[in-house]
Amino acid sequence: MGRAGLLAGPGEYDYRRPLNNCEHQSLTSISISPVLLCGGSGTRLWPLSRADMPKQLQALAHEETMLQATALRTATNSNDLQFEAPLVLAGEGHRFLVVEQLLHVGCPPRAVILEPQGRNTAPAVAIAAHWLARAGTPDALMLVMPSDHLIGNEEAFRAAIADAAPAALAGRMVTFGITPSEPATGYGYIEAEGDIGPVRRVRRFVEKPDEETAVAYVARGMMWNAGIFLFKASAYLEALATCAPEVAKAVDDAVRIAEIDGMIFRPGGAEFAACPSISIDYAVMERSDKVSVVPVDMGWSDVGSWDALWRVTAPDAEGNVVRGAGALIGCRDSLVRNEGGPFVAALGLEGMVVVATGDAVLIAPRERSEDIRKVVDRIEDEGYELTRTSHEVRRPWGSYRSLGQGVGWQVKRIAVKPGGQLSLQKHARRAETWVVASGVAIVTVEQVRKQIGPGESIFIPVGSVHRLENPGPEPLELIEVQQGGYLGEDDIVRLADVYGRTA
């Protein structure tokens, strides 16, 4: 990682630099701007998904993370559809991961819009629409996609986009209705008018039903509501002003004073906080008379539970899905996932979920995996950090993991990417000792810079201004021993930082 950017394979990319026009595909047909919604805490897939590393930033069913897979769906142009680089809406805490993940799959974002706080999808999409208007393209088509969904048949998805585009260009707001594979109770439903043509008027949206009602909905030909939309930016802003004027005003105020730092776009925090928290479905789609739907059967799943992940992952001959270190004997129809936890040995499980991380283990019947929220609530009530912070904490320079702690001490493993460097900082209440395990470190303590290698160590006294850098081509790994009366992460004063994290 370079001093001013994030590593992208063999080269570097400056996340602060706006993309030049030449870095976008020239448009020869219908031009579409993908808008990737990358917010959310992802608690339904706890303990793997946490607030600092939600499911959209995880590789769940494929080699790519869900965000990467979503971006790649619109990375290839065709004769009838041309896609711009994506706009991404995310929280401040995820901005480095978002950019880095997209760079690694060759999908540099056109802009990263940082929501000051979560206010649901209606305000988020409005910010993206304003961004397009400010870029001189108020009538650009926006393809709004959650970044934590799976689509098995991407050809069908692209065909549905092509079907929807003429209606969207004419001012309609188009949603995509998923052909149900079962009478699911975990999704909302869409009822269309008539059954002729690829684009139909929406008669109504309905909430998640009970099982009996879901059976009736499927029998009537109703569709699942996937929360994927296509419309012009101007059409959405006009509908929002009519259907939810309080949302439109708050977003207008926040965008008017937005800060722009290259590709980073930050709306005003206080102004955005005044916005009601409301979904695009409630705010606009259910209230507007200009809504259409395109039915599509594209192997869609929102991966909303461990059971849902089991269903979309190819099982072995016994119906088991296993990932990571473990052994199953006499088990059937179970999901076992080990992400940095102890070896998992399972005997005689049937229809179960076992998920192990470095700091937590979940054991539950698959059929009850929708109830994980109750587990998360209990953990939060007990005051644990297990729902907010991952065992492996990511930072723009690399990551760290706690190996153990006691009264007045803590031991961490720190990994710094090639070219990465921590901020120039100091601690008021703790001292640190760094021991290099592999790689080469450049350590600055006060005015002294020193290079240390494997087996060498250095002491950082309380209050000393210091910095850690990895100048080499290989990752740097070291052990950090902290000692002091307070060891919290908030005992840090950043004096300078290449990633823009100083006050």
Side-chain angles (χ1 to χ4, degrees):
M1 193 180 303
R3 290 179 61 87
L6 292 167
L7 188 68
E12 292 184 345
Y13 189 88
D14 184 353
Y15 78 95
R16 296 172 180 269
R17 177 175 62 85
L19 297 179
N20 296 324
N21 290 335
C22 64
E23 292 178 280
H24 297 295
Q25 177 72 34
S26 61
L27 306 180
T28 59
S29 58
I30 297 176
S31 175
I32 296 176
S33 293
V35 176
L36 312 185
L37 304 178
C38 197
S41 59
T43 55
R44 292 186 295 174
L45 291 180
W46 185 89
L48 182 59
S49 181
R50 313 278 178 100
D52 68 340
M53 196 67 174
K55 69 174 182 175
Q56 60 267 26
L57 301 177
Q58 305 259 9
L60 294 178
H62 306 293
E63 291 297 322
E64 302 88 6
T65 69
M66 301 189 80
L67 170 64
Q68 290 171 330
T70 304
L72 287 170
R73 285 181 200 126
T74 56
T76 303
N77 295 319
S78 60
N79 291 333
D80 53 349
L81 296 176
Q82 300 284 320
F83 294 99
E84 286 275 8
L87 305 180
V88 186
L89 289 112
E92 179 75 35
H94 299 145
R95 64 184 173 115
F96 297 105
L97 279 170
V98 165
V99 174
E100 185 177 33
Q101 287 193 4
L102 293 178
L103 292 177
H104 273 293
V105 292
C107 296
R110 190 177 178 189
V112 178
I113 300 170
L114 299 180
E115 300 173 80
Q117 55 186 286
R119 281 293 180 262
N120 218 313
T121 52
V125 174
I127 298 174
H130 275 289
W131 191 97
L132 289 166
R134 289 176 61 148
T137 55
D139 292 328
L141 286 185
M142 306 171 59
L143 177 62
V144 179
M145 298 181 288
S147 59
D148 59 354
H149 292 182
L150 295 179
I151 293 178
N153 187 342
E154 296 190 359
E155 289 187 9
F157 179 47
R158 293 171 70 93
I161 296 171
D163 287 338
L169 287 169
R172 303 290 296 178
M173 290 183 293
V174 185
T175 185
F176 296 87
I178 307 302
T179 304
S181 59
E182 60 181 339
T185 59
Y187 304 135
Y189 284 73
I190 302 171
E191 185 174 16
E193 294 183 0
D195 57 0
I196 299 175
V199 183
R200 308 173 192 174
R201 287 182 176 270
V202 170
R203 176 172 293 156
R204 61 174 177 146
F205 292 85
V206 294
E207 292 300 307
K208 298 175 183 178
D210 57 31
E211 187 171 353
E212 182 179 353
T213 305
V215 171
Y217 285 168
V218 173
R220 292 171 59 177
M222 295 173 66
M223 298 160 277
W224 291 340
N225 182 4
I228 304 173
F229 310 99
L230 184 70
F231 39 63
K232 292 194 297 186
S234 57
Y236 179 71
L237 291 177
E238 179 181 346
L240 187 69
T242 301
C243 300
E246 67 285 2
V247 176
K249 181 182 184 306
V251 173
D252 288 348
D253 293 342
V255 169
R256 188 176 300 115
I257 63 169
E259 297 178 359
I260 302 174
D261 183 9
M263 70 167 65
I264 304 298
F265 186 86
R266 288 186 178 88
E271 291 74 15
F272 194 70
C275 185
S277 179
I278 187 170
S279 72
I280 186 174
D281 296 280
Y282 286 139
V284 175
M285 305 304 282
E286 295 183 8
R287 302 178 184 180
S288 174
D289 59 358
K290 297 181 179 180
V291 180
S292 298
V293 61
V294 172
V296 57
D297 186 359
M298 58 184 183
W300 172 88
S301 172
D302 71 346
V303 198
S305 67
W306 287 114
D307 180 60
L309 182 61
W310 176 85
R311 291 176 181 274
V312 299
T313 308
D316 61 19
E318 285 73 40
N320 298 314
V321 174
V322 183
R323 179 167 176 175
L328 276 65
I329 300 175
C331 298
R332 297 188 59 83
D333 301 331
S334 295
L335 184 150
V336 174
R337 188 171 183 124
N338 190 339
E339 298 283 348
F343 187 90
V344 175
L347 176 64
L349 298 183
E350 186 167 347
M352 295 292 290
V353 171
V354 180
V355 182
T357 65
D359 58 353
V361 177
L362 168 72
I363 304 171
R366 256 188 37 235
E367 63 183 13
R368 293 201 59 188
S369 59
E370 291 278 359
D371 294 333
I372 297 302
R373 180 70 233 187
K374 297 178 182 178
V375 177
V376 171
D377 288 343
R378 173 67 63 86
I379 292 170
E380 291 179 345
D381 289 344
E382 296 290 335
Y384 292 105
E385 294 288 326
L386 292 170
T387 64
R388 293 182 286 275
T389 304
S390 302
H391 184 57
E392 186 84 17
V393 180
R394 276 77 172 182
R395 291 291 184 262
W397 44 260
S399 64
Y400 69 84
R401 173 185 296 186
S402 178
L403 301 179
Q405 58 184 346
V407 178
W409 65 271
Q410 180 170 212
V411 179
K412 291 182 177 179
R413 168 192 168 273
I414 295 178
V416 185
K417 300 173 183 178
Q421 59 179 275
L422 282 65
S423 59
L424 184 67
Q425 59 185 255
K426 62 181 179 179
H427 306 293
R429 301 176 64 182
R430 73 171 183 252
E432 297 173 343
T433 301
W434 293 340
V435 182
V436 174
S438 65
V440 174
I442 297 292
V443 180
T444 301
V445 181
E446 297 298 345
Q447 304 299 318
V448 179
R449 281 170 58 88
K450 181 179 180 181
Q451 177 174 303
I452 58 175
E456 297 180 314
S457 64
I458 192 167
F459 178 68
I460 316 294
V462 176
S464 295
V465 175
H466 61 280
R467 167 173 270 163
L468 173 66
E469 305 174 50
N470 178 5
E474 301 297 329
L476 164 66
E477 295 195 10
L478 55 85
I479 301 300
E480 177 183 86
V481 180
Q482 299 178 352
Q483 293 178 305
Y486 179 74
L487 305 175
E489 283 301 306
D490 55 348
D491 180 26
I492 179 173
V493 177
R494 291 191 176 95
L495 306 175
D497 184 66
V498 297
Y499 309 109
R501 297 175 299 162
T502 52

